Amino acid sequence: MNPTRDERVRAGSRQRREQQKQDVRQAILDAAAALFAEHGYQGFSLRQVAEQIGYSATTIYHHFEGKDDLLFTVADEGFSRFGTQLVAASDGASEPLARLKAIGRAYVEFGLSYPTYYELMFIERADFMLGYRVGERKPRLGSLDIVAQTIQEGMDRGVIRPGVAATYANALWAAVHGVVAMHIALPVIDRAQAEATADAVLELVVTGLKG
């Protein structure tokens, strides 16, 4: 049975309301990311976000429980993009050691390209890495599982020396995180220097892992 005109009008109205709701939510997220970049965690407030988008603070509470929920959602978008980049880098190399270098470069590339996300995810609110949405079980830290998995594969194939994959993964993580954090904290370390440093660090770490 074909819908009546009134039913079509009501359906269209619902779709417009839902689209408007999604547009407002995205505007809140975009403003929050920009304001976090400008003011940092301590200087960030929902009032600033409301002023930026031209809505009341009450509107924000219709979409998010509060400051932490909003910023976790911003970080969550970052983790999604971050995980996608690591997987793409991993898929581009077939050999475990080459894959580790590619993943490490992708990690640094994300941090250099999206410092706002990176600071929120890994520095200002590192506890967000252990967070997860209602109904989920895997924390956002799971984005880095691909590193330990690649190392374990390398050990199984005899190209990475025996050891604890998680420990080796943490060593590589510490190395690339250090490069990104140094770039963010010290403006004199420009992108070119950070990328060159990352290549040197990854070469040292991966060479040290060889079986």
Side-chain angles (χ1 to χ4, degrees), residues 103-170:
I103 292 170
R105 290 191 188 100
Y107 182 108
V108 172
E109 177 66 22
F110 176 86
L112 301 183
S113 299
Y114 306 104
T116 298
Y117 280 122
Y118 192 89
E119 283 193 79
L120 182 59
M121 294 158 56
F122 294 105
I123 299 176
E124 291 280 358
R125 289 302 304 268
D127 58 305
F128 283 166
M129 285 187 280
L130 302 178
Y132 49 87
R133 288 289 178 196
V134 175
E136 296 181 350
R137 293 181 179 274
K138 189 174 183 178
R140 294 302 172 258
L141 185 61
S143 301
L144 288 166
D145 287 350
I146 194 170
V147 180
Q149 291 166 1
T150 301
I151 290 172
Q152 185 61 56
E153 179 188 341
M155 289 194 291
D156 293 342
R157 292 171 58 175
V159 297
I160 291 178
R161 67 185 187 179
V164 179
T167 301
Y168 289 164
N170 284 341

Side-chain angles (χ1 to χ4, degrees), residues 62-85:
H62 289 159
H63 296 268
F64 303 98
E65 294 178 2
K67 174 179 175 176
D68 280 359
D69 183 41
L70 172 54
L71 287 179
F72 177 78
T73 305
V74 173
D76 200 29
E77 289 193 343
F79 279 114
S80 177
R81 184 175 297 178
F82 174 72
T84 297
Q85 288 191 198

Side-chain angles (χ1 to χ4, degrees), residues 45-58:
S45 71
L46 297 184
R47 177 185 56 78
Q48 293 169 340
V49 177
E51 291 175 355
Q52 183 88 355
I53 64 174
Y55 284 86
S56 68
T58 303

